[in-house]
Amino acid sequence: MKLSKLLIGMGFALGFFSTAHSQTVLKIGYATTKESHYGVGSTVFCDEVEKGTQGRYKCQQFPSSALGGEREQIEAVQLGVQDIVNTSTGPVGNFVPEVKIVDIPFLFRDYDHARKVMDGPIGQDILSKFPSKGIIALGWTENGFRHMTNSKRDIVKPSDAAGLKMRTMENKVHMDGYRTFGILPTPMAFPELFGALQQGTVDGQENPIPVILSSKFSQVQNHLSLTGHVYSPALLLLSAKTWGKLNDADKKVFLDAAKKAGVAQRKKVNDDENTGIAQLEKEGMKVIRNVDGQAFRDALRPAYANYGKEFGAENIKKIQDIR
Ligand code: EAX
């Protein structure tokens, strides 16, 4: 066989092996089902990455807390044993303290306000605090405004919530705020929540409509109060280890994919908010719409004084003043 033919043959063989071996599978995890808002956002992210890298990167999705609670998954991303987590900010403040300010109850007026802050200088600046902690924040996605559910009684004003044992995220900003409502906050990882509600270990919990819907909490909770007491942002977090292996073009693909994921996840939250409450009523939940929001805001005053000391009252006002 002529040398040239041999070399061409070897070139093809090498090319074949290099292409076959160049595909990298990214492990991405999140708390709720594939059909949920996190699943919609994660699927858009994965599709965009696979398309934008011509298949050199593709995802393996782990929905429904298959890789553990959010805190556990953030740790795994930080250690580089998991590539990506699509997570609420709930436990994130334990890794990047600058995130905690956005968890303050009643900080955001509505979705427009919240999304404007996250997509503007304040929200983007928070993303820049992650790399020094071994995590790349690719972009904001969204969990939604949180409402209270419980198995005991209607909650219209804080005194109705007083004494209830409510599961919270592992988030001190939330817990300090909820204590002013008289709630007994019980921090717990999300995967344990359904069982705890079923066994009555806790009386209630608080989560956005998309989570209450996709996690079928109507099976274990019969009162839903539309408190909207916290806006729960979410983030696509990538391991710095994975990021370090990307070329500049692929980094841009990942960032663009995260933006599209955020848009899709927010749309799913909107859709769930529009149809979810009627759905939950159909599933047997009693929905309390006439929540006395001002009473909850008034009760929060002592916590706001402390938030002001911790985060700077002027920083809180900057967020509140965004129009
Ligand atoms: O991010 O833990 C929680 O209540 C979160 O809202 C849930 O895991 C979705």
Side-chain angles (χ1 to χ4, degrees):
M1 177 190 277
K2 274 173 66 183
L3 180 60
S4 57
K5 274 192 178 158
L6 180 67
L7 288 175
I8 288 165
M10 280 172 68
F12 272 117
L14 279 174
F16 169 75
F17 282 114
S18 65
T19 318
H21 286 220
S22 67
Q23 187 169 76
T24 303
V25 177
L26 302 164
K27 280 168 65 176
I28 176 170
Y30 45 92
T32 51
T33 61
K34 190 126 186 305
E35 299 67 35
S36 72
H37 52 326
Y38 282 103
V40 167
S42 301
T43 300
V44 165
F45 175 78
C46 292
D47 291 349
E48 289 298 317
V49 162
E50 190 166 346
K51 208 166 51 186
T53 62
Q54 301 81 40
R56 285 178 288 107
Y57 286 88
K58 64 179 294 185
C59 294
Q60 186 180 5
Q61 295 196 40
F62 294 87
S64 306
S65 303
L67 297 180
E70 291 184 333
R71 184 192 185 110
E72 219 176 320
Q73 292 192 55
I74 298 164
E75 266 165 10
V77 164
Q78 194 175 41
L79 291 169
V81 295
Q82 180 175 335
D83 298 290
I84 306 155
V85 60
N86 190 349
T87 175
S88 78
T89 53
V92 176
N94 300 300
F95 300 84
V96 181
E98 292 84 352
V99 170
K100 293 197 281 189
I101 190 170
V102 296
D103 291 326
I104 293 176
F106 293 112
L107 179 67
F108 296 101
R109 293 184 300 278
D110 52 31
Y111 279 104
D112 283 349
H113 178 209
R115 292 166 181 174
K116 200 170 270 183
V117 172
M118 308 328 278
D119 296 346
I122 294 172
Q124 296 306 301
D125 179 54
I126 293 173
L127 300 183
S128 70
K129 309 296 181 193
F130 282 76
S132 62
K133 304 291 171 49
I135 300 171
I136 305 299
L138 293 172
W140 293 101
T141 53
E142 182 170 82
N143 196 15
F145 273 92
R146 305 178 75 92
H147 305 289
M148 291 181 195
T149 70
N150 81 89
S151 57
K152 291 265 189 314
R153 51 183 179 261
D154 292 355
I155 297 175
V156 174
K157 54 191 183 307
S159 54
D160 301 327
L164 288 175
K165 208 169 168 209
M166 298 284 272
R167 175 271 178 179
T168 70
M169 292 201 276
E170 296 153 289
N171 182 302
K172 190 176 172 307
V173 173
H174 288 180
M175 292 171 69
D176 291 349
Y178 301 166
R179 280 195 190 92
T180 68
F181 304 151
I183 279 171
L184 308 173
T186 314
M188 183 187 295
F190 187 73
E192 297 159 39
L193 177 51
F194 189 92
L197 293 169
Q198 202 165 33
Q199 284 136 36
T201 319
V202 288
D203 302 317
Q205 63 87 47
E206 40 84 54
N207 245 297
I209 297 297
V211 174
I212 299 169
L213 263 178
S214 57
S215 305
K216 304 209 176 312
F217 286 161
S218 60
Q219 292 175 3
V220 287
Q221 296 276 269
N222 39 31
H223 298 264
L224 165 60
S225 292
L226 300 181
T227 47
H229 54 279
V230 154
Y231 171 73
S232 184
L235 289 152
L236 265 171
L237 301 180
L238 174 78
S239 166
K241 203 169 140 199
T242 310
W243 179 255
K245 294 176 190 157
L246 301 178
N247 64 36
D248 288 350
D250 288 345
K251 285 178 177 168
K252 187 174 178 323
V253 168
F254 276 55
L255 290 168
D256 292 347
K259 272 198 180 47
K260 288 184 179 159
V263 170
Q265 194 157 328
R266 288 172 176 175
K267 183 182 178 311
K268 177 61 174 151
V269 169
N270 288 343
D271 295 348
D272 283 353
E273 290 268 0
N274 291 334
T275 60
I277 294 168
Q279 175 63 27
L280 291 167
E281 273 179 317
K282 225 163 82 183
E283 292 170 4
M285 291 194 92
K286 183 181 177 199
V287 178
I288 294 90
R289 290 174 170 80
N290 62 328
V291 169
D292 183 351
Q294 195 50 52
F296 278 96
R297 286 179 178 77
D298 294 345
L300 257 180
R301 287 227 171 86
Y304 254 83
N306 293 330
Y307 294 145
K309 286 192 199 102
E310 181 174 356
F311 302 112
E314 70 287 354
N315 294 323
I316 294 173
K317 190 170 180 316
K318 255 190 228 157
I319 292 175
Q320 292 170 324
D321 290 349
I322 299 278
R323 295 284 160 194

